[in-house]
Amino acid sequence: MTDAVLDPAAIHSSVDDVARATATPDQLQPWAELGLKADEYERIHKILGRRPTSSELAMYSVMWSEHCSYKSSKVHLRRFGELPAETRVGKLLAGIGENAGVLDIGQGYAVTFKVESHNHPSYVEPYQGAATGVGGIVRDILAMGARPVAVMDALRFGPLDAPDTARVLPGIVAGVGGYGNCLGLPNIGGEVVFDDSYIGNPLVNALCVGVMRHEDLHLANATGAGNQVILYGARTGGDGIGGVSVLASETFDAATADGLSGPSKRPSVQVGDPFMEKLLIECTLELFAAGVVNGIQDLGGAGLSCATSELASAGDGGMQVWLDRVPLRDSSLAPEEILMSESQERMMAVVEPRHVEQFLAVCAKWDVDVTVVGEVTTTGRLVIDWHGEVVVDVPPRTVAHEGPVYDRPYARPADQDALQADAAEALPRPVGGAELRDTLLRLVGSPNLADKSWVTDQYDRYVRGNTVLAQPDDAGVVRVDEQTGLGVALATDCNGRFCQLDPYAGAQLALAEAYRNVAAVGAQPLAVSDCLNFGSPEDPAVMWQFERAVAGLVDGCRELGVPVTGGNVSFYNQTGDVPILPTPVVGVLGVLDDVDRRVRQGFRTPGQMIYLIGETRAELSGSQWALVEHDHLGGLPPQVDLAAERALAELLRHASRDGLIDAAHDLADGGLAQALVESCLRHDVGARVWLPDELDPFVALFSESAGRAIVAVPRSEEVRFTDMATARRVPHVRLGVVDPGDGDPLLDVQGQFSVPLIELRAAWSGTIPDAISA
Amino acid sequence: MRVGIVTFPGSLDDIDAARAVRIAGDVPVPLWHGDHDLRGVDAVVLPGGFSYGDYLRCGAIARFAPVMTEVVAAASGGMPVLGICNGFQVLCEAHLLPGALIRNDHRRFVCRDQRLRVESATTAWTSAYQAGQEIVVPLKNGEGGFVADTDTLDRLEGEGRVVVRYVGGNPNGSLRDIAGITNGAGNVVGLMPHPEHAVESLCGPGTDGLGFFTSALQALAA
């Protein structure tokens, strides 16, 4: 830590203020090191009519970064805005432009949810990267006025047996758990997926959902001249500054001379303090309840640069900030560093002068540091002072909203045709019961299909006492109202292998799977949040994947009648020149009028009939079978039929509401075989199944056709169930019966093979713990 | 009956404890860590969470909260006090219970449905159970390994002060599989598992935990 007794005047005597910037137009500036292009730097000159100060340069460089400005994705993301801004329940209360979209779920309640990436920090420093990923998304939800009620995480890693996975995986899991558990938010689900392409670039996508009453919605703005700008929460430190450390060096030459490794180089990954965040949540909700908040914004990426410019441009457009008032952890920080710092657990509020005293009192109750750092003005400019010198004087919209926009070239890769021609359907298949049995055991023990409880047992799923379903159920379900039983269901999904084969169809399959998972627990799917993880946008092939995936999602959401309420884009996910599999993670939120009607996964009651719903085709390209048995990726992904998905979802929801099904499980990775295994192992109850005559047994077991689920139907409801499925024109076939057996429970595939559950469990449960402890 | 639930900064399961008290037919009364005031309650629950961020050591700072002066005095006077998870850690730090809780032996946080055996049904918080009864309640902690010196362990066993014990696998390395203990008078109980998460079948593994809260009612009515 830097010595705090240094004389600030001595340190900052050389501050690059507006007067100096005007007087020294030709001073070299490290714009390229900060990631700006020559024409972007030129544009800043035009906006300001002079060269930027180093503080201004820092602000523009982070706010115009890909991460903050969406400059490569904006032209495509606009298409999400074309979707109708309403759900089955009602109009969106806040749309995609806010921190997180807000939707009506009935009974006067609204929910807000969003999924966001924290991929690169989690590779550099797995624990803190993942922890602060959770912290950031939770503050996004909080800033909408909602109480965060649950989190989920969608994780992607390199091969389970890769040395670096043993470093990254335990750290990321401990970080997600360490932060979320300490925050008191149940972790209700997510994904853990392994693929070679993530080896140098794991994905950490964190989702948070929050609940509020309609009247409690708070949108970020800074309307009302004279209103006070208040910063509260943690003190500002030197963490998370990253490339901005270039600016902290006195001159461009000094910075390049020591190759950024000089004393001013600071850690680029933020360090989280979940205890402070817990206080921030309770304090902020109490501030909302007291009615003393006009506008609010969390401090995440780009820190104060983002919060001040976004709050100012969302309001009347003017704001004066006294930067030297910001409480610091490190008194040696320069103004540009304070503006860029991504120190966690901070919020900024706009408060009417008459409410300031009460605001400070609530913060004092929660022992939260609070400082008035500025006020709203009518100048139309964001002006930031540092010890009496003006270091920033900019039109805030040019920083926050009017950054560069690129329509980057995109082109279908030349080898896409060859990839699609190399179909897995042509690969050698197992023949006969013994080979099918061996194949099943290898698949259930493979990393992507194996038991994930080593991961999920490190997450508190019970806190707050409203968790109705959590992993490994198809979707997480939390109760919103104890009296009425109103609740929400959430699932995230993405099969990157399918997206590689066809990003348009792959994105739709991700959407369809999350939608189906939400329906499988008995909920009505309402809305989507997505986290679009891709390689470099400067690679036309990656940009083509991105464009196709967005198009697939937009078209899919339109057909399913679900709006996209928010999300996040993460580019530059690659190891060297090799991009990750395109990974548009889709989160679907649904509503249950009464969570008591939820449908669980897993066979429990002997004698219940097992039905397979949906149509099975010979679709093996991109499947887990092709991966595990042939290390193969090629061909075309399973056919997308969103009308069928919708019909399936409606059937599942109505059947659960009418009490016709006792258990349900969607079919996805690993196909029918995996769904049967998981349904049996859940409660250690066996099943006897007979595969449909018209299907090849291998195809029946391992095809990954979409739009399918298995359900357990009480015998007394069988006729009503089949009548309902017939009336809704949903294909269904009686597949077997829940059968505990006479001795050890078995999964018995009649005429093919039989395998004791104890053998399946041994193959399924050891894979991840064995690999991590090896 | 009025059961106080203390909220420290960083308490997380306070609302869950309040719900459990309500379901048991009692009236939950919120108590604030900074107040020297028990608001006339008949019993106190110290809930789970990470009081003061668990900085320094779990429960070490909470022990010095103003409200704890009143809790210690009331406990010494016989008031039923239940410490769950972090609350158990606070009770040990406050010397209302012997021993300490250390990091799990496998060094990971663990959340699972845990089978327990009720060893003592004579405390203020377990009288609704039968001695020897097995129950399932959630367990979730990173620092749940109960330790004490051998003399203390022998005394706890000898005096029948082990209240609940882990069965079907020790989840955190607790000595002698001890999940919860009581003081000599039987009014102060601390345990790592979370009975407040097993009070309604919809949102937990069952209702096996409810007995802790109905026991308090019985103890007060007696």
Side-chain angles (χ1 to χ4, degrees):
Chain A
M1 270 296 164
T2 309
D3 193 341
V5 299
L6 290 172
D7 174 14
I11 300 168
H12 303 302
S13 57
S14 61
V15 64
D16 188 31
D17 63 1
V18 169
R20 186 167 135 184
T22 310
T24 58
D26 300 325
Q27 181 176 315
L28 288 175
Q29 291 191 286
W31 49 268
E33 283 65 24
L34 293 169
L36 289 168
K37 301 274 188 280
D39 58 334
E40 292 174 344
Y41 182 59
E42 191 53 39
R43 189 162 157 199
I44 298 170
H45 268 264
K46 280 216 183 78
I47 290 168
L48 299 177
R50 57 173 165 79
R51 77 160 173 89
T53 66
S54 59
S55 293
E56 289 164 343
L57 181 62
M59 283 185 91
Y60 279 107
S61 72
V62 287
M63 289 301 291
W64 287 8
S65 69
E66 190 64 58
H67 178 80
C68 292
S69 74
Y70 293 87
K71 59 188 170 190
S72 301
S73 54
K74 228 174 202 171
V75 294
H76 303 288
L77 298 180
R78 283 186 187 130
R79 302 192 51 193
F80 288 128
E82 298 161 8
L83 292 167
E86 60 186 348
T87 72
R88 303 288 169 78
V89 176
K91 289 198 179 313
L92 295 186
L93 305 177
I96 199 164
E98 300 295 336
N99 279 326
V102 180
L103 54 144
D104 186 358
I105 55 164
Q107 301 180 18
Y109 285 100
V111 297
T112 178
F113 77 120
K114 189 177 175 187
V115 56
E116 205 166 73
S117 63
H118 223 220
N119 303 337
H120 298 117
S122 301
Y123 177 66
V124 177
E125 216 296 47
Y127 185 97
Q128 293 296 347
T132 54
V134 175
I137 192 66
V138 167
R139 284 193 304 283
D140 265 355
I141 297 305
L142 181 62
M144 301 306 293
R147 173 176 279 284
V149 296
V151 294
M152 295 178 100
D153 56 290
L155 308 177
R156 302 287 187 286
F157 301 101
L160 179 59
D161 55 4
D164 202 48
T165 301
R167 171 186 75 95
V168 167
L169 186 148
I172 285 175
V173 171
V176 169
Y179 203 97
N181 297 341
C182 197
L183 213 49
L185 292 177
N187 187 311
I188 58 171
E191 303 164 84
V192 180
V193 178
F194 302 92
D195 185 88
D196 289 355
S197 73
Y198 306 111
I199 189 161
N201 199 122
L203 304 186
V204 175
N205 292 181
L207 179 150
C208 181
V209 57
V211 175
M212 72 188 101
R213 302 291 299 172
H214 283 188
E215 57 272 23
D216 294 334
L217 175 62
H218 290 270
L219 300 181
N221 71 65
T223 313
N227 284 348
Q228 301 293 291
V229 177
I230 296 182
L231 179 65
Y232 67 109
R235 288 172 166 257
T236 298
D239 50 338
I241 294 178
V244 178
S245 58
V246 177
L247 281 162
S249 306
E250 287 193 4
T251 66
F252 179 40
D253 291 341
T256 49
D258 68 11
L260 309 188
S261 62
S264 62
K265 173 101 174 159
R266 298 174 188 281
S268 60
V269 178
Q270 313 87 317
V271 177
D273 176 358
F275 171 59
M276 175 56 75
E277 180 116 330
K278 169 66 178 171
L279 299 185
L280 209 53
I281 292 174
E282 300 304 330
C283 178
T284 301
L285 291 172
E286 201 166 316
L287 291 167
F288 284 139
V292 298
V293 176
N294 280 40
I296 198 158
Q297 176 98 29
D298 69 301
L299 272 70
L304 279 166
S305 295
C306 181
T308 53
S309 62
E310 287 195 353
L311 270 177
S313 59
D316 297 339
M319 185 183 287
Q320 169 73 47
V321 175
W322 295 279
L323 196 63
D324 43 277
R325 293 188 187 176
V326 172
L328 300 178
R329 264 182 253 165
D330 172 354
S331 63
S332 74
L333 290 180
E336 47 273 61
E337 290 180 304
I338 298 168
L339 284 168
M340 299 310 107
S341 165
E342 295 187 358
S343 287
Q344 298 289 290
E345 294 94 24
R346 299 180 297 163
M347 304 279 284
M348 179 166 273
V350 175
V351 180
E352 290 175 37
R354 64 194 172 105
H355 289 141
V356 169
E357 196 176 333
Q358 200 182 348
F359 191 102
L360 301 181
V362 171
C363 289
K365 176 189 167 187
W366 289 99
D367 288 325
V368 169
D369 269 353
V370 55
T371 313
V372 176
V373 297
E375 69 179 41
V376 177
T377 66
T378 53
T379 62
R381 299 187 75 86
L382 172 61
V383 178
I384 300 180
D385 279 15
W386 175 252
H387 294 292
E389 294 172 284
V390 178
V391 293
V392 173
D393 183 355
V394 297
R397 282 198 68 81
T398 64
V399 179
H401 298 296
E402 291 163 2
V405 174
Y406 296 122
D407 192 355
R408 295 195 184 274
Y410 55 91
R412 192 170 193 272
D415 56 3
Q416 195 73 21
D417 286 342
L419 181 72
Q420 292 186 342
D422 178 21
E425 285 75 10
L427 297 169
R429 304 174 177 191
V431 178
E435 285 188 23
L436 286 171
R437 186 183 193 279
D438 290 347
T439 303
L440 175 69
L441 284 166
R442 280 193 298 272
L443 278 169
V444 299
S446 67
N448 286 333
L449 300 178
D451 181 15
K452 303 299 188 301
S453 59
W454 187 91
V455 171
T456 54
D457 281 358
Q458 296 186 53
Y459 305 147
D460 181 351
R461 60 183 176 275
Y462 285 116
V463 65
R464 299 195 65 76
N466 286 316
T467 305
V468 177
L469 295 177
Q471 57 64 41
D473 279 296
D474 285 23
V477 173
V478 286
R479 181 173 59 185
V480 169
D481 187 297
E482 280 185 55
Q483 264 65 51
T484 66
L486 180 72
V488 294
L490 276 158
T492 71
D493 286 293
C494 179
N495 186 323
R497 287 166 56 79
F498 292 163
C499 294
Q500 182 78 25
L501 299 180
D502 180 343
Y504 180 92
Q508 293 198 333
L509 287 164
L511 168 67
E513 187 181 349
Y515 180 92
R516 194 186 320 134
N517 273 318
V518 163
V521 299
Q524 163 84 63
L526 289 187
V528 165
S529 180
D530 55 28
C531 191
L532 308 174
N533 308 272
F534 287 79
S536 167
E538 296 163 41
D539 177 345
V542 169
M543 211 53 216
W544 173 80
Q545 293 174 333
F546 182 79
E547 188 278 332
R548 288 287 78 205
V550 170
L553 279 178
V554 170
D555 293 348
C557 286
R558 184 176 289 114
E559 187 160 354
L560 291 175
V562 289
V564 175
T565 63
N568 166 239
V569 178
S570 175
F571 279 130
Y572 298 102
N573 293 290
Q574 40 192 64
T575 304
D577 292 337
V578 182
I580 59 164
L581 296 178
T583 314
V585 170
V586 178
V588 170
L589 182 140
V591 63
L592 292 104
D593 293 333
D594 183 0
V595 289
D596 211 21
R597 292 281 185 187
R598 87 291 190 206
V599 176
R600 287 168 284 189
Q601 192 192 81
F603 302 141
R604 282 179 302 166
T605 311
Q608 290 188 344
M609 305 312 297
I610 302 166
Y611 274 81
L612 169 63
I613 319 175
E615 195 178 336
T616 303
R617 306 178 196 90
E619 294 176 311
L620 296 148
S621 290
S623 69
Q624 290 298 311
W625 170 77
L627 172 68
V628 174
E629 298 290 276
H630 297 281
D631 193 18
H632 179 274
L633 178 58
L636 287 169
Q639 183 180 322
V640 179
D641 183 346
L642 295 174
E645 295 284 357
R646 200 165 172 158
L648 171 68
E650 287 289 295
L651 171 64
L652 288 167
R653 189 166 65 89
H654 282 93
S656 77
R657 199 183 60 189
D658 293 355
L660 307 186
I661 54 181
D662 189 53
H665 193 359
D666 96 300
L667 267 55
D669 299 39
L672 173 64
Q674 180 72 10
L676 286 169
V677 167
E678 289 174 355
S679 296
C680 286
L681 290 180
R682 191 69 195 273
H683 304 290
D684 266 323
V685 174
R688 196 153 30 91
V689 303
W690 39 91
L691 300 174
D693 290 339
E694 66 278 15
L695 286 177
D696 169 63
F698 164 76
V699 168
L701 286 168
F702 298 109
S703 165
E704 296 187 8
S705 294
R708 298 182 301 160
I710 53 172
V711 293
V713 181
R715 277 183 196 272
S716 58
E717 307 298 339
E718 197 173 355
V719 174
R720 286 177 67 204
F721 173 77
T722 53
D723 284 353
M724 184 185 273
T726 305
R728 292 176 172 274
R729 298 204 172 91
V730 179
H732 56 284
V733 56
R734 189 155 81 174
L735 193 71
V737 60
V738 179
D739 179 5
D742 297 330
D744 291 336
L746 305 168
L747 172 59
D748 182 18
V749 182
Q750 302 253 299
Q752 298 297 333
F753 62 87
S754 170
V755 52
L757 297 194
I758 199 165
E759 192 176 346
L760 282 170
R761 184 173 294 282
W764 179 68
S765 61
T767 307
I768 291 178
D770 290 352
I772 297 298
S773 62
Chain B
M1 298 295 180
R2 290 158 55 82
V3 178
I5 317 284
V6 177
T7 297
F8 299 101
S11 289
L12 303 178
D13 301 294
D14 44 353
I15 61 161
D16 309 71
R19 182 187 294 111
V21 164
R22 209 163 48 237
I23 290 173
D26 237 333
V27 178
V29 178
L31 301 178
W32 184 243
H33 71 110
D35 295 342
H36 278 284
D37 185 0
L38 296 187
R39 300 179 62 188
V41 298
D42 304 298
V44 170
V45 176
L46 304 182
F50 294 75
S51 58
Y52 302 93
D54 272 357
Y55 295 142
L56 186 60
R57 197 171 61 237
C58 303
I61 302 176
R63 175 214 167 173
F64 293 106
V67 75
M68 283 305 294
T69 311
E70 319 305 319
V71 170
V72 170
S76 305
M79 180 184 283
V81 175
L82 177 67
I84 303 168
C85 196
N86 192 231
F88 184 18
Q89 295 162 340
V90 175
L91 290 175
C92 290
E93 289 287 341
H95 303 298
L96 285 171
L97 293 173
L101 284 310
I102 64 168
R103 196 156 160 76
N104 296 346
D105 56 355
H106 48 76
R107 305 184 66 74
R108 291 191 305 278
F109 188 96
V110 59
C111 175
R112 72 185 206 194
D113 297 342
Q114 178 68 44
R115 183 163 287 278
L116 303 172
R117 186 167 58 241
V118 178
E119 301 282 19
S120 169
T122 60
T123 77
W125 297 95
T126 53
S127 60
Y129 297 102
Q130 306 289 321
Q133 185 178 343
E134 291 198 357
I135 60 175
V136 175
V137 303
L139 173 91
K140 40 171 218 178
N141 63 65
E143 306 194 27
F146 180 75
V147 294
D149 59 65
T150 306
D151 287 350
T152 302
L153 293 171
D154 289 344
R155 195 170 72 248
L156 286 171
E157 300 273 11
E159 293 173 0
R161 288 167 54 192
V162 174
V163 178
V164 278
R165 212 185 292 271
Y166 300 115
V167 293
N170 184 329
N172 47 30
S174 291
L175 297 179
R176 303 193 191 181
D177 299 336
I178 290 173
I181 58 174
T182 183
N183 63 348
N187 63 311
V188 178
V189 168
L191 78 166
M192 285 314 295
H194 288 259
E196 83 281 19
H197 289 323
V199 294
E200 46 176 349
S201 53
L202 185 67
C203 298
T207 57
D208 285 359
L210 193 57
F212 278 83
F213 301 93
T214 55
S215 295
L217 273 179
Q218 292 169 13
L220 294 168

